[in-house]
Amino acid sequence: MNETVRLTNLTIGYQTKQHTTVVAEHLNAAIKSGELTCLLGRNGIGKSTLLRTLSAFQPPLGGEILLRNSENSEHSEYSEVSEYSDKQLSRLIGVVLTEKPDVRNMTIEELVGMGRSPYTGFWGTLSKDDKCIVDEAIGLVGIESLRGRYVHTLSDGERQKVMIAKALAQQTPIIYLDEPTAFLDFPSKVEVMQLLHRLAREQQKTIFLSTHDVELSLQIADCIWLMETGLLSVGTPRQLADNGALSRFIEHKGIQFNVQTLTIRVTE
C-alpha cells in the first residue's frame, strides 16, 4: 500500500478581500491506496472544509496537498494539487457528494456513463471501451438489476451505490466521499461501508470519506482521521483507542467508550 495523498503543514479555511477564517491548521497526514480511511469529528470542526480542499474545490490557505501520480510522465512522483489542470484532476480524483442528484428521465446506466466525461467531454458519445468500463463499474457495485431504472425511482441506498459506480467509471485512483451513509438505514449503511472497503482492497483505490457513523467506522475502516480543535490524530482504530484519542472524542455524560471492544454504550 502506497501513500497517494500527502498533507504537509496544511491550513484550511476561507478567504475574502476583508477577512481570513482559519478552520484548521498544521495538518500533516497521508492517505494510502488499498485502505478505507474515515474522517471523524464533531459538527463544525472542519470535515467538509477539509474534504472540499482535498478535492480542489477550494484552495488551501497554506501548506501543501501532494498527489502521487507516477504514471503521468508530465509530473514527478509527488506534485502539488495546484499544478494539475482541471482535466488532469478529473482523471485523478472522483468525488461523491452528500447531495442527491436532481435528475429525472435518466437511467442508471446513463448516469454511471457520465463518469466517463473526463475522457469523452460532458455530452460525448461513449465508445465501445467506455461502455465496457460502465458495465464493469455497475458490476463491481452489484447494481446490474438497476441499470434500466430511472434515477428518481431509486431508494437512498440504491442511489448511493449508483453514485459510487459513477465514480468508479471515472477510473480515478482517488475517490473522496462526503457523508456517503447520511440518508441510509442501518443495514444500508453497513452495506455501503463494506462495499467501499472491498473496493479499496480489491481495486487498490484510495478511498477517503467523512462520516458521523463513528462505531461503524471503527469496525470497518483501516485508518481513522480524527479532527479535534487544534489537533488531527491519525491511526488505526486500535491505535487511536489505545492512545486515548477516541475516548476523548466519544465520551461525554451518558456516553461510554469501551477501549477493548471499540464499542459505544449509552448509559442512564
Side-chain angles (χ1 to χ4, degrees):
M1 289 177 285
N2 295 314
E3 292 182 2
T4 51
V5 182
R6 184 182 294 167
L7 280 56
T8 304
N9 204 31
L10 183 69
T11 299
I12 59 172
Y14 304 90
Q15 193 163 23
T16 65
K17 291 181 179 179
Q18 291 79 26
H19 187 64
T20 298
T21 302
V22 174
V23 173
E25 56 187 343
H26 307 307
L27 303 178
N28 293 280
I31 314 174
K32 294 181 180 180
S33 62
E35 290 187 348
L36 177 62
T37 303
C38 290
L39 173 64
L40 304 178
R42 294 189 178 86
N43 286 336
I45 198 67
K47 297 191 303 298
S48 294
T49 304
L50 176 56
L51 203 60
R52 284 194 296 270
T53 306
L54 291 176
S55 305
F57 291 164
Q58 68 184 66
L61 298 181
E64 291 184 316
I65 301 170
L66 301 171
L67 301 182
R68 185 173 188 266
N69 186 27
S70 56
E71 294 180 0
N72 191 333
S73 59
E74 295 180 21
H75 294 282
S76 59
E77 185 177 4
Y78 280 95
S79 296
E80 223 286 326
V81 166
S82 61
E83 296 180 22
Y84 293 91
S85 67
D86 289 343
K87 184 175 181 179
Q88 288 171 325
L89 284 174
S90 72
R91 298 184 180 193
L92 280 173
I93 300 172
V95 182
V96 179
L97 300 174
T98 306
E99 291 80 10
K100 301 177 184 179
D102 186 19
V103 293
R104 301 183 74 84
N105 300 320
M106 179 181 285
T107 66
I108 273 66
E109 187 172 7
E110 290 169 337
L111 181 56
V112 175
M114 290 182 68
R116 299 301 300 158
S117 60
Y119 310 91
T120 66
F122 189 76
W123 298 111
T125 302
L126 298 186
S127 67
K128 182 178 179 181
D129 287 343
D130 290 322
K131 291 178 180 178
C132 287
I133 291 167
V134 169
D135 288 343
E136 182 182 7
I138 288 172
L140 284 170
V141 180
I143 54 172
E144 293 93 339
S145 62
L146 301 179
R147 65 187 309 145
R149 293 260 303 274
Y150 286 100
V151 176
H152 67 274
T153 69
L154 300 179
S155 69
D156 289 335
E158 290 170 336
R159 188 184 299 108
Q160 196 61 273
K161 290 181 184 178
V162 170
M163 298 310 293
I164 293 169
K166 176 176 174 289
L168 289 174
Q170 196 174 333
Q171 288 194 314
T172 59
I174 301 166
I175 300 176
Y176 296 136
L177 303 99
D178 184 20
E179 297 284 352
T181 60
F183 303 112
L184 309 184
D185 57 33
F186 187 73
S188 298
K189 287 177 187 285
V190 174
E191 189 176 5
V192 166
M193 290 287 279
Q194 288 176 330
L195 168 64
L196 292 170
H197 188 261
R198 175 172 60 81
L199 291 172
R201 288 286 178 90
E202 295 179 358
Q203 302 296 312
Q204 284 299 295
K205 298 284 188 183
T206 300
I207 299 183
F208 180 88
L209 64 92
S210 65
T211 182
H212 287 293
D213 291 314
V214 177
E215 196 163 12
L216 190 56
S217 298
L218 299 184
Q219 294 181 59
I220 297 177
D222 298 296
C223 182
I224 298 290
W225 286 25
L226 176 58
M227 286 188 76
E228 302 174 86
T229 303
L231 179 65
L232 176 64
S233 300
V234 176
T236 65
R238 170 50 52 200
Q239 287 170 336
L240 296 192
D242 290 344
N243 71 17
L246 287 173
S247 295
R248 186 171 61 243
F249 168 59
I250 295 169
E251 290 196 336
H252 290 81
K253 184 178 180 181
I255 305 174
Q256 292 183 346
F257 176 62
N258 189 310
V259 174
Q260 280 68 45
T261 61
L262 302 180
T263 55
I264 301 168
R265 187 167 72 91
V266 178
T267 60
E268 296 182 1

